[in-house]
Amino acid sequence: MAFVGPVETCVTASATRPDVPWTVVTTPVPALSDVVPQVSPDRLLADLVPPRHFAAARFGTYRANPDFPTQQAALARLQEVAQVLVKPRSGGLFKRAKKQTPPAVYLDGGFGVGKTHLLASLAHEVGLERTAFGTFVEYTNLVGALGFRQTVDALATKTLVCIDEFELDDPGDTVLMSRLLRELADRGVALAATSNTLPESLGEGRFAAEDFLREIQALSSRFDVLRIDGPDYRHRPTVTKAPDVPADAVRAAAESVEGARLDDFDTLVAHLAHVHPSRYGALLDGVELLALTGVHPVTDQNVGLRLVVLVDRLYDRDVPVLLGGGDRGLFTPEMLAGGYRKKYFRALSRLGALAEDGRTRVAALAA
């Protein structure tokens, strides 16, 4: 695919190899908005693995905070679940194995307490070839791309299905996922899910868990709810405002990183409307840095939700970002107080981490 963009004389080096000497070359600066990914059903299914950010996550690398015993308790319970799922069936050739209800666990807690780390660790312990791992949105998008029955048939071949960031703010999607989980459980697939409690709701007990159990009704008795308390261990900044970075500085930084993409914010936002969200991951193939100019607040809910999905895929792939624009909020106060606030706060939290990575990258180039 040919990229359309200005040809610049720029300094390039491998984004993953900071020790590589810089060389001056002439190369076009590609834009993410020039890419229209074509994704096969096999690719969509193959992408259901723990994100790159958690590729090395294991039970042994999870550090439970001793000040919050629920973290160690959740770790121990998931290790038990893993043992059940990897344990070979007993009994001889002519002995009928007793059918057991597959385990189902739900991790309830705030941002940054290690829920995704534990979920990814469970997936690695069971085996990635036997596990499907995706966010709530990825599964709903999968159903939209493949159809419900084909999705059930494909996922039913797995031993374990992990759903990260289970969301309850869209009634239609919640009903869809409840039905999907019920059919998978009835076919013997083990389930594991996570969700977030908003920071201001952490003192309210199992706020998210109660909502989750109410919405999945027919499956509620099967789920073992594991509360995980604790502060956000990353202490990430929440990006509610885009830094006042001049467009020229953003362009110069993008031109200095091989694999960077340079986009005007409005152009990219318009492009996302024409790409199915299930393809946003493929949209980022080969991207090492996303630099945006003209960042400003969005007021349309549909635009905001597409940005949430894009930020999730950027975070999954550890792609740093540079945000160039005025010192104004990315989402409006009304959006941050509305029904999709969990999505927006998660996106802002993750965007904070990615923006910090971008700033660090640029600082290293300037040093």
Side-chain angles (χ1 to χ4, degrees):
M1 174 174 295
F3 292 105
V4 179
V7 175
E8 304 283 352
T9 300
C10 60
V11 180
T12 63
S14 170
T16 56
R17 289 287 309 281
D19 58 310
V20 176
W22 303 102
T23 58
V24 178
V25 299
T26 301
T27 183
V29 180
L32 206 62
S33 53
D34 292 328
V35 181
V36 181
Q38 301 300 319
V39 183
S40 69
D42 289 341
R43 164 73 187 268
L44 291 176
L45 293 167
D47 281 349
L48 291 176
V49 295
R52 183 193 309 174
H53 192 75
F54 293 98
R58 298 294 187 276
F59 288 135
T61 61
Y62 181 75
R63 298 292 177 258
N65 188 330
D67 294 332
F68 299 93
T70 54
Q71 294 188 13
Q72 181 61 42
L75 171 63
R77 177 66 183 115
L78 289 183
Q79 288 175 315
E80 293 174 355
V81 170
Q83 290 178 351
V84 170
L85 296 180
V86 301
K87 183 179 180 181
R89 291 184 178 181
S90 59
L93 180 63
F94 300 103
K95 182 177 180 180
R96 182 181 298 274
K98 182 180 179 181
K99 185 177 180 180
Q100 295 181 337
T101 300
V105 292
Y106 173 81
L107 307 182
D108 180 36
F111 296 103
V113 295
K115 301 185 308 299
T116 302
H117 185 132
L118 288 171
L119 194 66
S121 299
L122 177 62
H124 283 293
E125 190 72 17
V126 174
L128 298 188
E129 72 286 352
R130 302 173 61 202
T131 301
F133 187 109
T135 63
F136 179 95
V137 172
E138 285 180 293
Y139 286 111
T140 57
N141 289 339
L142 184 67
V143 173
L146 303 184
F148 184 83
R149 184 51 50 195
Q150 186 176 350
T151 300
V152 172
D153 291 341
L155 296 179
T157 65
K158 302 295 184 178
T159 299
L160 170 68
V161 168
C162 297
I163 309 97
D164 200 18
E165 306 291 357
F166 200 99
E167 299 177 358
L168 301 168
D169 45 24
D170 187 304
D173 283 347
T174 302
V175 170
L176 173 68
M177 281 299 294
S178 179
R179 180 187 170 199
L180 177 66
L181 296 186
R182 183 176 68 252
E183 294 212 16
L184 291 174
D186 289 344
R187 292 174 68 166
V189 178
L191 305 172
T194 76
S195 185
N196 281 323
T197 300
L198 284 169
E200 65 266 26
S201 302
L202 288 177
E204 299 177 10
R206 293 183 173 180
F207 177 81
E210 291 172 358
D211 289 345
F212 172 78
L213 295 176
R214 182 184 65 249
E215 294 297 339
I216 63 169
Q217 297 177 9
L219 281 173
S220 60
S221 63
R222 303 192 195 187
F223 270 85
D224 182 9
V225 176
L226 308 177
R227 175 72 188 183
I228 305 180
D229 300 298
D232 185 339
Y233 76 94
R234 290 160 289 209
H235 301 291
R236 297 179 300 197
T238 296
V239 177
T240 56
K241 295 182 179 180
D244 188 10
V245 180
D248 288 346
V250 174
R251 292 191 185 97
E255 292 161 6
S256 300
V257 177
E258 185 177 4
R261 300 291 183 267
L262 175 61
D263 282 87
D264 169 72
F265 183 71
D266 284 334
T267 303
L268 178 59
V269 163
H271 181 62
L272 292 179
H274 300 287
V275 179
H276 193 278
S278 66
R279 300 178 179 180
Y280 285 11
L283 189 66
L284 298 172
D285 285 350
V287 177
E288 297 291 345
L289 173 73
L290 177 59
L292 297 174
T293 60
V295 178
H296 63 82
V298 298
T299 58
D300 184 278
Q301 202 84 260
N302 292 322
V303 172
L305 294 176
R306 292 187 197 109
L307 286 173
V308 167
V309 178
L310 180 64
V311 170
D312 283 343
R313 300 294 79 78
L314 287 164
Y315 183 76
D316 288 347
R317 289 156 178 77
D318 281 334
V319 178
V321 300
L322 291 176
L323 303 175
D327 188 16
R328 295 167 291 175
L330 185 59
F331 301 119
T332 66
E334 293 77 15
M335 294 169 77
L336 293 176
Y340 294 115
R341 62 191 185 279
K342 274 192 179 184
K343 285 184 172 72
Y344 294 135
F345 275 109
R346 182 183 76 238
L348 292 172
S349 179
R350 290 181 166 185
L351 193 56
L354 298 177
E356 183 61 31
D357 289 344
R359 288 189 291 270
T360 301
R361 177 70 56 81
V362 171
L365 291 174

